[in-house]
Amino acid sequence: MSKRVAIFISGGGSNMRALVESMTGDHPARAALVLSNDPQAGGIAWARDAGIPTDVVDHRPFAGDRAAFEAALAERLAPHAIDIIALAGFMRVLTAGFVAPWQGRMLNIHPSLLPKYRGLDTHARALAAGDTEAGCTVHEVTPALDDGPILGQARVPILPDDTARTLAARVLEQEHILYPAVLKRFAAGDRRPVMLP
Ligand code: GRF
């Protein structure tokens, strides 16, 4: 029985698309739901066209009441018998109340080599620090932001003429390789980290 994966997005969902396209053949998981906090998220239309169940919980009407927003998320998840949640460009912070029951079954991809550069603007911060390499990390989600056990990392060089935009593009290419590789291993019950290259 393949694992049922819910993918949370907030925007275009390029990581979601890479994950969906990887879950074929003997892959131990299948995409069962794509859920967004933004009704305009481009990834929702893509998932719908791909025949994947979608749902949207617009966070704005909850006006900062995180518990109520997360209760709505949980309610939308319930009918889909989800085994794993994959956060993929999901830009809302989830509280311990939501994370706790999913701990050990929820993944996130973050565009830095954690534990460096938790939070936002990771590429600009790496450039400002004069780093010579950057990358991305897939980790288990815990209540602490960008802090859970690391399940995979991909490294890229920082080039002399890089901007945050050019570096982000180079890292994003690796995200689309790393996340599917980690999810396939994780869904098979293997937590050994995937390290690229
Ligand atoms: C990516 O850089 C990802 O690391 C971060 O959100 C960005 C956009 O992701 N979490 P996507 O294209 O929406 O998948």
Side-chain angles (χ1 to χ4, degrees), residues 22-49:
S22 74
M23 288 186 264
T24 60
D26 65 355
H27 192 297
R30 289 294 184 275
L33 176 67
V34 173
L35 189 147
S36 182
N37 64 294
D38 183 342
Q40 304 304 317
I44 289 294
W46 186 91
R48 190 183 307 126
D49 291 347

Side-chain angles (χ1 to χ4, degrees), residues 14-96:
S14 70
N15 276 289
M16 174 273 292
R17 299 200 300 269
L19 291 174
V20 166
E21 289 171 349
S22 74
M23 288 186 264
T24 60
D26 65 355
H27 192 297
R30 289 294 184 275
L33 176 67
V34 173
L35 189 147
S36 182
N37 64 294
D38 183 342
Q40 304 304 317
I44 289 294
W46 186 91
R48 190 183 307 126
D49 291 347
I52 297 163
T54 62
D55 210 336
V56 172
V57 180
D58 188 340
H59 67 276
R60 290 167 300 184
F62 294 95
D65 183 347
R66 290 187 186 278
F69 170 62
E70 292 175 355
L73 289 179
E75 183 187 332
R76 303 298 180 82
L77 280 169
H80 296 278
I82 298 302
D83 300 300
I84 297 170
I85 294 176
L87 306 181
F90 187 67
M91 303 311 278
R92 306 304 297 172
V93 173
L94 295 167
T95 70

Side-chain angles (χ1 to χ4, degrees), residues 38-191:
D38 183 342
Q40 304 304 317
I44 289 294
W46 186 91
R48 190 183 307 126
D49 291 347
I52 297 163
T54 62
D55 210 336
V56 172
V57 180
D58 188 340
H59 67 276
R60 290 167 300 184
F62 294 95
D65 183 347
R66 290 187 186 278
F69 170 62
E70 292 175 355
L73 289 179
E75 183 187 332
R76 303 298 180 82
L77 280 169
H80 296 278
I82 298 302
D83 300 300
I84 297 170
I85 294 176
L87 306 181
F90 187 67
M91 303 311 278
R92 306 304 297 172
V93 173
L94 295 167
T95 70
F98 184 88
V99 170
W102 289 98
Q103 196 153 340
R105 301 188 292 152
M106 189 189 308
L107 309 180
N108 181 48
I109 188 158
H110 179 76
S112 80
L113 294 172
L114 291 173
K116 292 183 80 172
Y117 311 125
R118 293 187 177 90
L120 299 174
D121 303 322
T122 60
H123 305 306
R125 292 156 66 192
L127 289 168
D131 292 355
T132 56
E133 69 173 6
C136 50
T137 302
V138 176
H139 62 95
E140 289 188 37
V141 176
T142 61
L145 183 68
D146 299 331
D147 189 46
I150 289 175
L151 292 170
Q153 288 193 314
R155 294 171 184 276
V156 300
I158 293 179
L159 305 178
D161 56 349
D162 263 332
T163 63
R165 179 188 298 273
T166 59
L167 180 53
R170 188 173 312 121
V171 172
L172 194 61
E173 279 179 22
Q174 293 302 311
E175 293 178 31
H176 298 160
I177 298 167
L178 179 69
Y179 213 170
V182 169
L183 179 61
K184 184 167 188 175
R185 188 174 281 192
F186 186 82
D190 181 350
R191 279 174 161 77

